[in-house]
Amino acid sequence: MSGKLLHTVCVAALVAALPAAPAAAAPEPPESTVSEMLTQLRTLYQQAEEATETYNATEEELKALTAETKKLTGDLTRTRDSLARARAEAGRLARAQYQGRTDFSSSLRLLLARDPDHALDQHHLLRRAARERAAIVVRLQKGEKRADRLATASRKALDREQTLAEKQKKARDDVTARLKEVEETLATLSDEEVEQLTSLEETETADAQRELLATGELEPDGTRTPSALGDEALSYAAEQIGKPYVWGAEGPRSFDCSGLTSQAWATAGRPIPRTSQEQWRTLPKVPLRALRPGDLVVYFPKATHVAIYLGDGQVIHAPRPGAQVKVSPIAANPLLGAVRPDPTARSLRSYTPPEIPTGTAGGSDEGYDEG
């Protein structure tokens, strides 16, 4: 064996005898960036608010249906009572006929009567009695049909109530689940990360506000005035600043977004739908360039958030769970559009905006469920 070959074999044997090198450790997955965490939180909050508005809509529908069921039950009870009386009267007439008290026809009674005048009177009485009997039969037939219809409607209403109650429970469970995810996400953050999230959200909101103003769609000069009712609604909303957001709440101690706007306008004397989706669907739309204080600004593609326009490019709203009613830039959330509860009302000639407490227009809209 040549020296060169022998050297190669020895080296190979030596290498084979060495212990195997440990495998390289798998790289740690990169931690979520602050931007990704903010996106995640926003998604969870939006899902929670969407579930909240579903819950609110179901609650309103359930209230209306409960009232309808109560009315149907009352109508059915009264109809059955009337039916029982009609049946009793029909039975009385049937017994009278069976006992022979109505054997003779009115014409025969007239022929056999000694006193024709008295017989004529009897004839009229008998004809009236016949008409009454016929009316009782008709009333009995109608009553039975009405009772059947009401009983069917009442059963359907009760079934619908049960379905809505189940839907409401699911919506409540969805809200609870989303908010629990928010809590768990926030619990993992350090104070520094929370500050970074707040700073990032404020920066993004400021950028969105500048972009909106640059388009010219919004007139931030504050020259527009509200209607008289809009002024009252806006004043009410301003008085609620600092109160906590609680999902499903409509005052007076706490609010969710549509609870605040619906109560503001109800207090002003113009009731509007309870949910942000119904406010968007049913109230007249107005372009952003025509906004006046008191109008409602609606957000997200599914109309799951709503605020009341303060003027100068600002809104008052209940942002999200854990936060408080506050003033924010109108572009703090993705805009869908605006609606006006009183489209035919004239704007006031002069107007003094409501006094806004110091410090309520700054800070993040971030929140979390504290209870």
Side-chain angles (χ1 to χ4, degrees):
M1 182 181 291
S2 67
K4 184 177 181 180
L5 179 59
L6 179 61
H7 179 267
T8 302
V9 172
C10 289
V11 171
L14 181 61
V15 171
L18 290 173
E28 291 289 335
E31 294 184 3
S32 296
T33 66
V34 173
S35 178
E36 288 170 343
M37 285 189 290
L38 180 58
T39 299
Q40 179 186 6
L41 283 171
R42 281 175 170 166
T43 299
L44 291 173
Y45 279 125
Q46 188 179 347
Q47 290 172 346
E49 196 154 42
E50 184 175 338
T52 297
E53 290 304 285
T54 299
Y55 175 90
N56 291 337
T58 306
E59 176 77 7
E60 291 302 297
E61 193 174 355
L62 195 54
K63 286 179 184 177
L65 188 57
T66 300
E68 180 186 349
T69 303
K70 184 177 180 181
K71 181 179 182 301
L72 285 170
T73 302
D75 287 348
L76 180 58
T77 299
R78 288 188 292 273
T79 299
R80 283 174 171 167
D81 289 344
S82 176
L83 191 56
R85 289 193 296 272
R87 283 173 177 160
E89 182 66 12
R92 184 187 66 76
L93 291 174
R95 287 193 300 274
Q97 186 171 5
Y98 177 77
Q99 291 168 0
R101 294 202 292 270
T102 58
D103 286 346
F104 297 111
S105 67
S106 58
S107 56
L108 183 59
R109 288 175 183 271
L110 183 60
L111 288 172
L112 297 178
R114 294 180 179 179
D115 184 349
D117 291 334
H118 177 71
L120 284 173
D121 290 339
Q122 288 292 100
H123 174 68
H124 289 307
L125 289 174
L126 289 169
R127 288 184 62 186
R128 187 173 68 183
R131 287 195 300 270
E132 289 176 355
R133 285 197 300 272
I136 290 173
V137 172
V138 170
R139 189 165 69 249
L140 191 59
Q141 292 173 338
K142 288 183 176 179
E144 288 173 343
K145 290 179 181 179
R146 176 171 170 76
D148 288 342
R149 287 195 305 270
L150 287 172
T152 300
S154 183
R155 283 194 299 271
K156 288 182 178 179
L158 287 171
D159 290 343
R160 178 67 175 150
E161 271 194 70
Q162 183 176 359
T163 300
L164 281 175
E166 291 171 357
K167 181 180 178 182
Q168 186 184 45
K169 181 181 182 301
K170 182 182 182 305
R172 184 182 65 237
D173 292 344
D174 287 346
V175 175
T176 303
R178 297 290 82 75
L179 294 181
K180 185 176 181 181
E181 289 185 64
V182 170
E183 289 177 351
E184 291 172 351
T185 300
L186 290 172
T188 65
L189 303 181
S190 65
D191 291 342
E192 182 182 357
E193 287 173 324
V194 172
E195 289 178 5
Q196 290 174 341
L197 278 173
T198 301
S199 176
L200 178 59
E201 186 179 37
E202 290 177 346
T203 299
E204 291 186 355
T205 296
D207 290 343
Q209 186 81 351
R210 278 194 298 271
E211 290 176 9
L212 175 62
L213 296 180
T215 64
E217 285 189 83
L218 188 69
E219 294 184 10
D221 56 6
T223 57
R224 285 199 175 85
T225 62
S227 64
L229 293 182
D231 184 17
E232 291 184 39
L234 190 54
S235 296
Y236 176 89
E239 290 169 1
Q240 313 314 311
I241 289 175
K243 293 184 178 180
Y245 179 112
V246 174
W247 71 268
E250 47 189 326
R253 294 184 177 87
S254 57
F255 298 87
D256 62 19
C257 67
S258 57
L260 177 65
T261 54
S262 60
Q263 285 301 307
W265 274 93
T267 301
R270 178 64 60 87
I272 62 174
R274 166 66 175 88
T275 68
S276 56
Q277 290 99 332
E278 284 299 292
Q279 290 171 13
W280 171 251
R281 188 181 70 83
T282 62
L283 299 177
K285 310 289 191 298
V286 290
L288 293 180
R289 62 180 176 275
L291 269 180
R292 68 184 182 187
D295 289 343
L296 304 183
V297 183
V298 185
Y299 298 91
F300 298 107
K302 294 184 180 180
T304 52
H305 187 68
V306 64
I308 187 165
Y309 189 56
L310 176 61
D312 286 329
Q314 305 289 308
V315 295
I316 299 175
H317 66 147
R320 57 184 67 159
Q324 298 175 334
V325 176
K326 59 167 292 189
V327 175
S328 292
I330 191 174
N333 292 294
L335 280 161
L336 177 61
V339 293
R340 179 168 293 166
D342 59 343
T344 60
R346 293 182 179 180
S347 297
L348 296 173
R349 291 186 178 180
S350 61
Y351 163 66
T352 301
E355 185 175 343
I356 303 299
T358 304
T360 58
S364 169
D365 287 344
E366 285 291 349
Y368 58 94
D369 187 16
E370 296 180 307

